[in-house]
C-alpha cells in the first residue's frame, strides 16, 4: 500500500473514533447530569428525579439531630422556603444565610439530600465591604 | 474632627490618588508601547521598536511602585485604602497582610498586570538584539494585553479606591484564605497564566511577520516551561489547600474553577511536547501555533470563569464587573489567532511526514491527542450547564463521576506514554530495538499486576490497577534511560559510573529533566489512583472518652480544649490513635471561629457565629495519611450566648473578653458529642511528592545552559542544519 493511501486510512479511522467518542460524551452528559433548580421551581417535579437544589439557608432553620442535619432553603430572594434533610460532610462555611447547593430528590414536600453532596459557596471574598463607598 | 487627624487623612488619600495616577501613567505607557511597536514593525524603523521596549520597561517600573504603595498600606493598616479595609484588619498576621492584596479582584488584577509587565520586560530585554521581524509584533501583543488589564483597573475595578473617614478596623482576610498554601497559590497560578502570554505573543509575532521557522519556539521555550511549572505549582497548592483547609478531605472536585486552571495546563503540556517535534523534525507547525493560542485563550477563560460567576461553583466569587470585557478579549484573541493561522497556512507546511508509528514523533502526536482530548472532555463537562441551557432551556450540571468516567481512561493511557515516549527515537525505530527497549518495562508491568492481584483487592479496581501497572512500566523505562546514559558514557570515556551518569545527564539537562518530570507525574498518578480507589472514609459522632475503629486504627476522643484569642477562638479535640494495640499518633483536629462583623449576632454571639475553619489533624506517612476533621456542636452554648448578649451589652470590651474566655472554657470542660470525619488515605502524599519531583525536573530542564554547552548546541544545530539542507540562522 502506498504511504499516502495508508495515511488517508489512518485519518479516517482516527476521525471516526473521535466522532464516536464525542457522541458518547454528548449522550452520557445529557443522561448523567442533574438539573439545577431553585426551591420555587421544585413544585410538581418528579420525585424519582435527582436535582441540584440551589438557594440560601433560611436563618435560624438549622437543626442537628444526631447525624442528620435539617434546615430550610429558600430562593435567593428569600421566598419559597422548603425543608431539607441531609447527612454527611458539612463544609466549613455552612451557616445561616449562605448560598448552598445540595443534590437529592424532592419527596413529599421535603428535599432529601444525597450523602456528602452539600456544597457551600465561598462567602464571596469580593463583595464584603465595610461601606458602600469602596472602589 | 481634630486638625492633625484631618492632615493625616489628606496624606493617606493623596497616596491612593498617587496609586491611581501611577496606573493612568502605566496605561499611557502601555498604549504608547503598543502603538510604537506596530509603527516600528510596519516601517522597519528600529528607533520606534526600541522606544516601545523602553515604554514596556516603564510600565513595569510604574506598576512595581503601585504594588509597593498598596503593600505598604496593607502593612500599615491604612484603612483609607478601601481595599485594605475590606480585606485586612489590625489583627490579621503580617504575612497574611502581605498576601491579602490578591484576595480581592482589584488586587488580583494588579498582580496580573504587574507580573505581565515584569515578564514582558524580561523577554524583551533578552530579545532586544534578536528576531527583528518578530519582536515588534510580540511587543504590540504584550503591551496590548497590558493596556487591557491596566484599563480594567482604571475603569472597572479600582484597587486604589479610598474611604474618608477611614474605618477604625478592617473586615479582615477571609478566614479560609489564612493558610500558607492559599497565600502563595494565587501568585503561582497568575504567574502561570501570565507567562503563557510570552510564547503566545511571539507566536502571533511570528505569524504576522511570516517568520514561521522554530525560532519563536526556541526563544520562548523557557518561558513556556516556566509558565507550565508555575501553573502546575498553582494547581498543586490549590489541591493541598483543599485537602487541609476545607474540611472535606478531598483534593480535587471537578469544580469549574479547578477545571479552568487544569485545561490550560493540559493543553500547555501538549504544546511543550509538540514544539520538540517542530524543532527536531519540522513537523506539526499548524498544530503548535494552534496549541499555544488555545492555551492562552484557556488562561483568559480561567480568569473569566473565576470572575464572572456564569457557572455555579463553590468558588463563585459573586457577579463581577470585569466579565464582559474579558469575554471580548477572549473572542478577539481566539478569532485573531484563527485568522492569522488560516491566512498563513501555506507557510506552515510540514518539512517531512511521519514515516513510522514506532517513532518518537508519532508517540508525541498520540500523547498530544490524549492531552487535548482530556482538555476537551473537561471543557465540555465544565460548560455543560451553559450547553444544556442553550439546547433544552434548563441548566443541567455534571458531577465528579461523569468526569471520572472519561478522564480516568485517558489518564491511564497517559501514564503509559510517560514511559513509552522517552524510549523511542526520532524518525524510525527498528522492531528489534523496540522489543529490546520494551522488555524490562513490560516485565515490570506484568509483575506489578501479578503481585497486586495476589496481595490486595486491586482486582476490583481495574483502572487503579492499570495505573499502578503502567506507572511501573514508566518508572522502569525511565530508570533504564538514565542507566543507559551513564553506561554509554562510562564505556566511551572510562569515567567512573556515577561520574559518567552525572556528566551524561548534565550535558542533556533538557532531556533528563523532562524524564524526571515524567517520573514525578507517574508517582502523582499512583497517589491519585490509590487514594481515590482504596480510601476509607467515616463520619463519627463521639463523646469525650469514647473510641471508634476506622480501618486498622482505633481512635479515642480524649478531651476538648479551648483556646480563645483576639483573632479567633479555637476548639481542638485530642485524639489518641492506636494501631495493633500500639500508640500510633496523637492528633489535634481543631475548629477556629472568627468573629463576625454582623451586629445582630450580639457582643458575645459575634465571637461564635462568624466564619469557622477546620484545622485538620493529619498524620502523614509514605504509606498513606490518617486525616481527621472536627466539628464541635456549639448549639448548647446558645442559651448562655443569648443571656450574655443581653446582660453584658455596653460593658467594656475587656469584660466581654473575659466572659467569652470563661464561656469557651466552661464549654470545653463538659462538651456535648462532637462530629468527626476520619479518612484513611493510602499513598495520598505521593501526589505532592511526585509533583515536587516534577517541579524539580522542570527547573533542571529549563536551567540556563552554560556557555560551553551553548557552543556545543550551536555546533550541533549547524550540523543538523547542513544535514537537513536548511541552515538555521544563528540567534
Amino acid at each position: 500500500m502506498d504511504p499516502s493511501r495508508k495515511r488517508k486510512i489512518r485519518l479516517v479511522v482516527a476521525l471516526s473514533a473521535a466522532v464516536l467518542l464525542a457522541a458518547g460524551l454528548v449522550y452520557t452528559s445529557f443522561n448523567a447530569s442533574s438539573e439545577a433548580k431553585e426551591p420555587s421551581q421544585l413544585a410538581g417535579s418528579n420525585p424519582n428525579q435527582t436535582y441540584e437544589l440551589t438557594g440560601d439557608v433560611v436563618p435560624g432553620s438549622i437543626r442537628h439531630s444526631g447525624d442528620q442535619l435539617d434546615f430550610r432553603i429558600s430562593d435567593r430572594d428569600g421566598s419559597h422556603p422548603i425543608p431539607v434533610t441531609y447527612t454527611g460532610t458539612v463544609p466549613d462555611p455552612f451557616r445561616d444565610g449562605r448560598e448552598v447547593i445540595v443534590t437529592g430528590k424532592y419527596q413529599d414536600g421535603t428535599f432529601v439530600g444525597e450523602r456528602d453532596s452539600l456544597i457551600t459557596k465561598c462567602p464571596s471574598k469580593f463583595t464584603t465591604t465595610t461601606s458602600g463607598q469602596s472602589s | 474632627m481634630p486638625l492633625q487627624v484631618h492632615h493625616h487623612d489628606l496624606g493617606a488619600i493623596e497616596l491612593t490618588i498617587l496609586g491611581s495616577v501611577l496606573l493612568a501613567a502605566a496605561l499611557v505607557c502601555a498604549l504608547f508601547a503598543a502603538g510604537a511597536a506596530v509603527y516600528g514593525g510596519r516601517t522597519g524603523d528600529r528607533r520606534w521598536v526600541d522606544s516601545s521596549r523602553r515604554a514596556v520597561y516603564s510600565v513595569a517600573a510604574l506598576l512595581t511602585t503601585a504594588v509597593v504603595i498598596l503593600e505598604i498600606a496593607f502593612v500599615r493598616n491604612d484603612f483609607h485604602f478601601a481595599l485594605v479595609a475590606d480585606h485586612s484588619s489590625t489583627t490579621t498576621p503580617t504575612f497574611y497582610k502581605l498576601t491579602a492584596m490578591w484576595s480581592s479582584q482589584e488586587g488580583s488584577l494588579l498582580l496580573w498586570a504587574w507580573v505581565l509587565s515584569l515578564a514582558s520586560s524580561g523577554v524583551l530585554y533578552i530579545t532586544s538584539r534578536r528576531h527583528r521581524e518578530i519582536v515588534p509584533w510580540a511587543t504590540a501583543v504584550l503591551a496590548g494585553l497590558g493596556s487591557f488589564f491596566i484599563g480594567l483597573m482604571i475603569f472597572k475595578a479600582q484597587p486604589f479606591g479610598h474611604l474618608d473617614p477611614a474605618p477604625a478596623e478592617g473586615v479582615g482576610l477571609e478566614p479560609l484564605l489564612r493558610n500558607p498554601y492559599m497565600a502563595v497559590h494565587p501568585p503561582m497560578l497568575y504567574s502561570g497564566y501570565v507567562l503563557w502570554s510570552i510564547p503566545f505573543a511571539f507566536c502571533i509575532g511570528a505569524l504576522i511577520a511570516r517568520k514561521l521557522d522554530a525560532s519563536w519556539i526556541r526563544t520562548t521555550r523557557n518561558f513556556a516551561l516556566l509558565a507550565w511549572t508555575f501553573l502546575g505549582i498553582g494547581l498543586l497548592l490549590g489541591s493541598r489547600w483543599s485537602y487541609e483547609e476545607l474540611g472535606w478531605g478531598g483534593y480535587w472536585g471537578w469544580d469549574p474553577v479547578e477545571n479552568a486552571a487544569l485545561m490550560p495546563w493540559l493543553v500547555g503540556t501538549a504544546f511543550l511536547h509538540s514544539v520538540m517535534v517542530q524543532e527536531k523534525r519540522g513537523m506539526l507547525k499548524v498544530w503548535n501555533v494552534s496549541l499555544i493560542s488555545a492555551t492562552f485563550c484557556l488562561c483568559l477563560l480561567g480568569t473569566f470563569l473565576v470572575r464572572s460567576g456564569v457557572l455555579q461553583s463553590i468558588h463563585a466569587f459573586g457577579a463581577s464587573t470585569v466579565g464582559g470585557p474579558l469575554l471580548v478579549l477572549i473572542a478577539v484573541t481566539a478569532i485573531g489567532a484563527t485568522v492569522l493561522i488560516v491566512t498563513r497556512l501555506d507557510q506552515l507546511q510540514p518539512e517531512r511526514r511521519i514515516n513510522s508509528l514506532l517513532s518518537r514523533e508519532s508517540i508525541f502526536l498520540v500523547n498530544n491527542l490524549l492531552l487535548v482530548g482530556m482538555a476537551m472532555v473537561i471543557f465540555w463537562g465544565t460548560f455543560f450547564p451553559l450547553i444544556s441551557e442553550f439546547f433544552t432551556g434548563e441548566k443541567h450540571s455534571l458531577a465528579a463521576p461523569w468526569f471520572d468516567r472519561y478522564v480516568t481512561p485517558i489518564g491511564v493511557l497517559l501514564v503509559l506514554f510517560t514511559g513509552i515516549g522517552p524510549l523511542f527515537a526520532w524518525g524510525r525505530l527498528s522492531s528489534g530495538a523496540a522489543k529490546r527497549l520494551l522488555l524490562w518495562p513490560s516485565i515490570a508491568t506484568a509483575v506489578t499486576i501479578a503481585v497486586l492481584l495476589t496481595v490486595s483487592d486491586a482486582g476490583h479496581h481495574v483502572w487503579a490497577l492499570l495505573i499502578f501497572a503502567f506507572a511501573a512500566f514508566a518508572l522502569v523505562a525511565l530508570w533504564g534511560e538514565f542507566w543507559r546514559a551513564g553506561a554509554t558514557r562510562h564505556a566511551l570515556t572510562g569515567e567512573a559510573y556515577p561520574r559518567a551518569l552525572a556528566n551524561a545527564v548534565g550535558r542533556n539537562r533538557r532531556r533528563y529533566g523532562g524524564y524526571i518530570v515524567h517520573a514525578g507525574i507517574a508517582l502523582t498518578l499512583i497517589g491519585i489512583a490509590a487514594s481515590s480507589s482504596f480510601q476509607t472514609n467515616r463520619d463519627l459522632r463521639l463523646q469525650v472518652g469514647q473510641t471508634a475503629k476506622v480501618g486498622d486504627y482505633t481512635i479515642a476522643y480524649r478531651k476538648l480544649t479551648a483556646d480563645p484569642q483576639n483573632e479567633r477562638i479555637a476548639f481542638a479535640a485530642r485524639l489518641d490513635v492506636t494501631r495493633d494495640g500500639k500508640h500510633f499518633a496523637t492528633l489535634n483536629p481543631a475548629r477556629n471561629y472568627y468573629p463576625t462583623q454582623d451586629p445582630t449576632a450580639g457582643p458575645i454571639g459575634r465571637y461564635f457565629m462568624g466564619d469557622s475553619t477546620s484545622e485538620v489533624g493529619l498524620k502523614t506517612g509514605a504509606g498513606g495519611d490518617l486525616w481527621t476533621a472536627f466539628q464541635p456542636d456549639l448549639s448548647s452554648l446558645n442559651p448562655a450566648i443569648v443571656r450574655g448578649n443581653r446582660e453584658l451589652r455596653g460593658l467594656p470590651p475587656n469584660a466581654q473578653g473575659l466572659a467569652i474566655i470563661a464561656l469557651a472554657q466552661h464549654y470545653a470542660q463538659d462538651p456535648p458529642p462532637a462530629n468527626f470525619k476520619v479518612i484513611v488515605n493510602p499513598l495520598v502524599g505521593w501526589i505532592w511528592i511526585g509533583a515536587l519531583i516534577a517541579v524539580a525536573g522542570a527547573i533542571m530542564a529549563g536551567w540556563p545552559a552554560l556557555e560551553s554547552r551553548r557552543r556545543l548546541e550551536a555546533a550541533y544545530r549547524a550540523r543538523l542544519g547542513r544535514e537537513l539542507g536548511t541552515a538555521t540562522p544563528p540567534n
Side-chain angles (χ1 to χ4, degrees):
Chain A
M1 217 178 333
D2 73 297
S4 75
R5 196 180 143 78
K6 213 164 147 186
R7 265 198 294 276
K8 253 188 209 126
I9 293 174
R10 261 185 227 159
L11 186 70
V12 170
V13 170
L15 281 182
S16 351
V19 168
L20 277 177
L21 280 177
L25 201 74
V26 172
Y27 177 76
T28 56
S29 55
F30 275 97
N31 260 347
S33 63
S34 46
E35 196 176 321
K37 292 238 185 222
E38 287 202 57
S40 57
Q41 299 164 333
L42 274 179
S45 63
N46 180 354
N48 295 317
Q49 168 88 38
T50 303
Y51 296 105
E52 203 174 64
L53 182 66
T54 310
D56 290 351
V57 178
V58 176
S61 70
I62 303 172
R63 302 273 177 279
H64 291 270
S65 47
D67 281 349
Q68 189 174 313
L69 184 69
D70 297 311
F71 56 98
R72 295 167 89 79
I73 293 185
S74 68
D75 277 22
R76 263 164 250 173
D77 58 12
S79 65
H80 300 90
I82 61 157
V84 177
T85 65
Y86 172 78
T87 51
T89 313
V90 179
D92 276 2
F94 178 81
R95 60 188 57 255
D96 285 352
R98 282 283 150 78
E99 191 171 348
V100 297
I101 308 170
V102 58
T103 310
K105 292 177 173 147
Y106 188 54
Q107 292 161 337
D108 305 327
T110 301
F111 192 82
V112 183
E114 287 172 10
R115 191 174 184 79
D116 294 344
S117 71
L118 181 66
I119 296 173
T120 317
K121 293 187 124 195
C122 275
S124 181
K125 304 179 254 189
F126 302 121
T127 52
T128 44
T129 46
T130 40
S131 71
Q133 206 217 328
S134 82
S135 68
Chain B
M1 190 182 286
L3 197 62
Q4 305 93 301
V5 176
H6 196 69
H7 257 292
H8 176 74
D9 284 4
L10 263 164
I13 287 164
E14 279 153 8
L15 270 181
T16 62
I17 293 171
L18 174 62
S20 301
V21 170
L22 286 170
L23 289 184
L27 179 61
V28 171
C29 284
L31 286 172
F32 170 79
V38 169
Y39 184 78
R42 291 184 71 92
T43 58
D45 188 338
R46 292 295 304 163
R47 288 173 308 169
W48 283 93
V49 180
D50 289 339
S51 185
S52 74
R53 187 176 63 246
R54 289 189 201 109
V56 171
Y57 297 162
S58 318
V59 174
L62 289 164
L63 289 181
T64 304
T65 317
V67 168
V68 168
I69 288 178
L70 194 54
E71 286 292 14
I72 289 175
F74 270 107
V75 173
R76 290 182 55 224
N77 300 316
D78 192 340
F79 299 129
H80 289 95
F81 286 70
L83 211 59
V84 179
D86 286 344
H87 299 278
S88 184
S89 65
T90 51
T91 58
T92 305
T94 308
F95 174 68
Y96 292 122
K97 280 180 187 163
L98 287 170
T99 65
M101 181 180 111
W102 44 81
S103 76
S104 67
Q105 166 168 280
E106 297 82 358
S108 299
L109 285 172
L110 182 56
L111 181 69
W112 176 295
W114 181 52
V115 176
L116 177 64
S117 69
L118 292 180
S120 308
S121 301
V123 74
L124 293 181
Y125 178 78
I126 293 169
T127 57
S128 56
R129 294 179 190 289
R130 294 194 274 153
H131 308 308
R132 302 228 149 149
E133 296 93 341
I134 298 176
V135 165
W137 304 107
T139 311
V141 172
L142 292 170
L145 278 170
S147 312
F148 174 85
F149 283 100
I150 299 167
L152 278 187
M153 282 188 280
I154 292 176
F155 299 109
K156 293 283 183 186
Q158 292 138 354
F160 291 99
H162 63 255
L163 297 175
D164 189 21
E169 178 58 297
V171 173
L173 180 64
E174 157 67 38
L176 283 172
L177 301 179
R178 295 181 205 195
N179 171 294
Y181 297 115
M182 212 10 86
V184 192
H185 160 84
M188 291 292 153
L189 208 59
Y190 283 140
S191 301
Y193 281 163
V194 170
L195 283 167
W196 280 117
S197 67
I198 306 286
F200 170 74
F202 274 75
C203 164
I204 295 294
L207 283 168
I208 294 177
R210 295 178 186 270
K211 290 285 291 179
L212 289 161
D213 54 18
S215 61
W216 69 270
I217 291 173
R218 259 182 234 114
T219 304
T220 57
R221 188 163 67 197
N222 277 351
F223 284 92
L225 192 59
L226 209 59
W228 181 87
T229 310
F230 275 123
L231 198 54
I233 296 175
L235 287 166
L236 172 76
L237 293 171
S239 65
R240 187 75 200 180
W241 170 75
S242 166
Y243 184 62
E244 284 196 3
E245 187 72 33
L246 288 184
W248 66 296
Y251 43 82
W252 194 265
W254 296 115
D255 182 83
V257 175
E258 295 167 350
N259 299 347
L262 182 62
M263 286 187 284
W265 188 82
L266 289 171
V267 180
T269 310
F271 173 77
L272 285 180
H273 287 90
S274 71
V275 290
M276 285 186 243
V277 180
Q278 179 169 351
E279 279 183 74
K280 305 273 200 243
R281 309 289 291 169
M283 291 184 280
L284 300 185
K285 290 181 179 177
V286 179
W287 185 242
N288 284 331
V289 290
S290 309
L291 277 183
I292 189 61
S293 305
T295 304
F296 186 63
C297 282
L298 287 169
C299 288
L300 293 175
L301 193 68
T303 317
F304 168 73
L305 273 187
V306 177
R307 298 296 160 206
S308 65
V310 292
L311 292 171
Q312 291 284 1
S313 156
I314 42 170
H315 297 68
F317 301 119
S320 141
T321 48
V322 304
L326 264 174
L327 208 54
V328 172
L329 178 66
I330 295 169
V332 168
T333 309
I335 295 170
T338 310
V339 167
L340 277 175
I341 293 169
V342 169
T343 53
R344 266 81 175 157
L345 273 180
D346 52 329
Q347 271 129 337
L348 292 166
Q349 288 306 308
E351 289 155 26
R352 60 169 71 73
R353 294 189 175 278
I354 291 183
N355 287 321
S356 164
L357 283 176
L358 289 180
S359 66
R360 189 172 276 189
E361 50 266 41
S362 72
I363 296 291
F364 273 29
L365 186 60
V366 177
N367 124 311
N368 261 247
L369 293 175
L370 288 172
L371 284 165
V372 173
M374 192 190 264
M376 283 164 76
V377 168
I378 295 170
F379 186 91
W380 176 269
T382 307
F383 284 93
F384 190 71
L386 299 185
I387 297 168
S388 71
E389 191 179 26
F390 182 77
F391 285 108
T392 67
E394 286 161 346
K395 269 196 182 180
H396 292 255
S397 61
L398 291 164
W402 184 88
F403 284 97
D404 291 340
R405 181 180 337 173
Y406 287 96
V407 172
T408 311
I410 302 178
V412 168
L413 286 175
L414 279 172
V415 194
L416 183 61
F417 278 95
T418 55
I420 292 183
L423 292 179
F424 283 28
W426 299 106
R428 182 194 290 271
L429 191 67
S430 73
S431 62
K435 271 182 203 143
R436 204 172 58 243
L437 289 169
L438 292 175
L439 177 67
W440 282 107
S442 306
I443 291 174
T445 311
V447 169
T448 308
I449 292 180
V451 169
L452 284 177
L453 282 180
T454 30
V455 304
S456 76
D457 65 339
H460 301 293
H461 303 275
V462 176
W463 292 119
L465 181 66
L466 284 176
I467 286 195
F468 296 142
F470 290 159
F473 180 98
L475 291 173
V476 170
L478 293 164
W479 178 262
E481 283 297 300
F482 279 93
W483 177 258
R484 267 189 293 280
T488 311
R489 193 176 165 87
H490 172 67
L492 283 176
T493 63
E495 288 169 344
Y497 186 83
R499 192 186 173 81
L501 176 66
N503 279 335
V505 169
R507 260 156 223 277
N508 203 341
R509 276 196 298 243
R510 190 177 169 205
R511 171 195 282 187
Y512 292 104
Y515 291 175
I516 290 173
V517 175
H518 279 203
I521 299 282
L523 290 175
T524 295
L525 284 163
I526 290 177
I528 292 173
S531 59
S532 53
S533 298
F534 302 98
Q535 182 187 81
T536 313
N537 192 327
R538 288 278 304 279
D539 289 299
L540 305 171
R541 191 173 173 80
L542 297 178
Q543 198 119 36
V544 171
Q546 282 184 324
T547 59
K549 205 160 161 54
V550 179
D552 298 335
Y553 303 95
T554 307
I555 293 167
Y557 178 20
R558 293 287 178 224
K559 64 173 181 180
L560 185 145
T561 53
D563 177 22
Q565 291 181 0
N566 249 349
E567 194 203 0
R568 55 164 180 71
I569 303 171
F571 290 110
R574 196 180 131 173
L575 301 177
D576 277 333
V577 185
T578 50
R579 187 167 66 171
D580 306 329
K582 281 195 281 278
H583 177 79
F584 176 72
T586 302
L587 300 176
N588 295 295
R591 205 153 180 96
N592 298 331
Y593 291 83
Y594 290 83
T596 170
Q597 306 288 338
D598 180 4
T600 59
I604 304 299
R606 81 182 198 92
Y607 283 88
F608 298 92
M609 305 289 175
D611 288 328
S612 67
T613 65
S614 233
E615 294 297 319
V616 300
L618 191 61
K619 170 78 180 172
T620 307
D625 285 7
L626 180 65
W627 184 103
T628 55
F630 170 56
Q631 169 91 61
D633 183 357
L634 295 189
S635 55
S636 67
L637 276 177
N638 279 342
I641 289 174
V642 169
R643 209 172 62 235
N645 280 345
R646 201 173 51 234
E647 289 171 9
L648 300 177
R649 193 177 294 278
L651 283 183
N654 279 350
Q656 286 177 0
L658 287 175
I660 287 157
I661 291 171
L663 197 61
Q665 271 155 3
H666 173 73
Y667 176 78
Q669 273 162 16
D670 183 24
N675 289 319
F676 293 89
K677 190 177 182 67
V678 180
I679 304 175
V680 182
N681 231 348
L683 301 182
V684 70
W686 288 95
I687 296 174
W688 295 287
I689 296 173
L692 285 176
I693 292 174
V695 168
I699 292 171
M700 175 174 156
W703 201 262
L706 295 168
E707 195 53 39
S708 61
R709 203 187 132 214
R710 279 215 189 97
R711 276 203 302 275
L712 210 77
E713 261 194 359
Y716 171 74
R717 266 213 294 280
R719 202 188 71 207
L720 199 72
R722 276 198 304 279
E723 283 170 5
L724 302 177
T726 54
T728 34
N731 50 44

